[in-house]
Amino acid sequence: MASSRVKGSPGRTAAAYFDAWRRGNVTAMERLVYQPPADFSVRHRKLSDDLHVESLTLTPGQLRSTGEGAAEVPFTGVRKLAELGDWPFGSTLRLAVRDRAWKVLWAPETLHPLLKDGGTLELEEEETSGAELVTSEGDRIPNDSYAEAYLNPLKPEFEQVNYGWALVSKVPGQPDTTLLRRAPKANVERTTISRAVQAAAARALDAVEDSTMIVIRPSTGEILALADRLGENYSAVRDVFPPGSVFKTVTAAALLKGGLDPAAQVGCPGTYQIPFHRPFSNDGEVDRGTVTFTDAFAYSCNTTFVEQATTRLTGEELRRTADEWGFGRPIATGISGTCGTVPETDDLDMLGADAIGQGEVVSTPLCMAALAAAVQSGTWRSPRLLSPEQVRRIDGAPHADVQMDEGVVAALRDMMAAVVDYGTASGAGLPEGVAGKTGTAEVEGETSHAWFIGYRDDLAFCVFVRHGGSGRSAAVPIAARFFKGL
């Protein structure tokens, strides 16, 4: 019979071809192919080289006859690519009797189905110089965190070129198809932001335009939240505003240092006039008569603080105390920053205004958060958004920690607790353990700024609402929502 004169069998030819292919012996493969193209060897080697193939596994299926003198073997394979890992594929090895021998009928799709009809497979390199800033826990910064204005400009500081790869199928007349991809990774840098604290601060500000909340960890100076919705390109860390009555914390520190006892009896009349100078009034000209110095702080008596400051302090003493608590110095956060200024004055009218946070005194919300943190911990620490090493690299060396007077700090803690217990921040939904100071800063011809600073455990904060009205009505509710959202 004619068939007996055919050399070999389809099974043996297929097995020999797969064996040679596994070993990468292209010459042996070529001998088993009927009329192989002139570039047979080149095609195989080029595909492996171009795609950075490290290994190849082949698993033949069941041989089946497709007619007299014809057969085929479906098979699967896995190419391991150096950059992209395992890449499985499936194809078919076709065989037929040619010149009285079983031969492989080779086509480009035998190598891979996507090589049919002039298709090509290409490994493309992708690069990025991006940087991703994440929370202290390594998580992504929460969406709509109101921190973007600080984080986005910071990214170039951490950009470095990283590479990725894509395996792309290209068929003439059709769109390119990406088969495998390993995206280039952005350089990841941790900030000090706490995911939970940042989210709570941002949500507390959601309904309040032109506002900001900064939260600091007093024990370290780390900025745990920096949610800034200030409009008109105002910055919570660089722009200064009159602090109003939250500055009474500094004035109280100066008076305590000068010997005024927290339990001392002081006057809180509705209006007080500096002898031969201008008058000052309480909010609504409320007359509280004689109260303790702690009560005057809790009720935010302007008249008390003007009288005590102008009779017990000089402008130099108030400025020097403010400087101890952070004023007059740059702050190295990693995103720069400043505190504020208390100009020295010999004018009693100006000293009286400065003592209640009006006059020429100005402060950033960042400075006020650091002030609250210093009361809580007893140490003023330069707030930071990045690791100490990165802060030094970007902003230079931060100011050294400053130990505050223990007696002054202990008295301020009691006085700030009184503000929340029965003073201007009482009955506002704040949780137990919060101590703070409200502030309403008058702005000529415009609505006042609203402030509230304070702390609870190892969280210190500043809430500021530009032209928001009173601290109690506009700023304190934000702090209450913040603690509820933690």
Side-chain angles (χ1 to χ4, degrees), residues 24-261:
N25 189 341
V26 183
T27 303
M29 293 165 64
E30 192 170 5
R31 285 197 294 265
L32 296 168
V33 175
Y34 176 69
Q35 295 182 350
D39 61 351
F40 180 87
S41 295
V42 172
R43 283 184 184 233
H44 282 74
R45 292 193 175 104
K46 187 173 186 305
L47 184 71
S48 292
D49 290 346
D50 288 352
L51 303 189
H52 302 174
V53 177
E54 292 184 325
S55 64
L56 170 69
T57 60
L58 297 167
T59 306
Q62 192 71 36
L63 175 74
R64 57 189 179 226
S65 172
T66 55
E68 188 175 351
E72 64 183 20
V73 180
F75 67 94
T76 57
V78 178
R79 289 181 173 93
K80 185 176 182 180
L81 312 187
E83 287 79 16
L84 294 169
D86 289 350
W87 177 42
F89 70 102
S91 192
T92 301
L93 187 71
R94 292 184 171 81
L95 306 105
V97 175
R98 296 290 186 270
D99 298 335
R100 292 182 300 184
W102 280 97
K103 292 282 190 177
V104 171
L105 301 182
W106 189 88
E109 54 264 37
T110 309
L111 197 51
H112 194 283
L114 292 173
L115 297 176
K116 188 177 181 179
D117 300 329
T120 59
L121 293 164
E122 298 180 19
L123 187 64
E124 298 181 349
E125 191 174 47
E126 301 176 340
E127 72 171 53
T128 181
S129 58
E132 183 180 4
L133 297 172
V134 298
T135 67
S136 60
E137 304 92 347
D139 298 326
R140 299 190 68 166
I141 304 293
N143 292 331
D144 302 321
S145 67
Y146 307 131
E148 294 83 0
Y150 300 98
L151 299 179
N152 290 338
L154 192 57
K155 289 179 180 179
E157 291 286 349
F158 302 99
E159 288 181 349
Q160 62 184 36
V161 177
N162 291 310
Y163 296 96
W165 298 88
L167 178 61
V168 181
S169 167
K170 300 188 176 185
V171 179
Q174 297 182 28
D176 293 355
T177 303
T178 299
L179 308 173
L180 291 176
R181 186 167 185 263
R182 193 191 78 201
K185 290 184 178 179
N187 188 37
V188 175
E189 182 69 24
R190 292 192 185 215
T191 66
T192 60
I193 287 175
S194 157
R195 180 179 176 83
V197 179
Q198 180 70 40
R203 299 296 70 81
L205 295 184
D206 273 344
V208 188
E209 298 291 336
D210 225 352
S211 59
T212 188
M213 184 170 194
I214 299 176
V215 184
I216 293 174
R217 177 175 282 135
S219 59
T220 62
E222 295 167 293
I223 297 173
L224 303 181
L226 179 51
D228 189 346
R229 299 195 69 197
L230 293 177
E232 301 176 30
N233 278 333
Y234 278 103
S235 163
V237 305
R238 290 184 286 274
D239 288 320
V240 294
F241 308 91
S245 292
V246 290
F247 187 75
K248 288 174 184 168
T249 311
V250 173
T251 306
L255 291 168
L256 290 164
K257 192 174 180 181
L260 183 58
D261 191 281

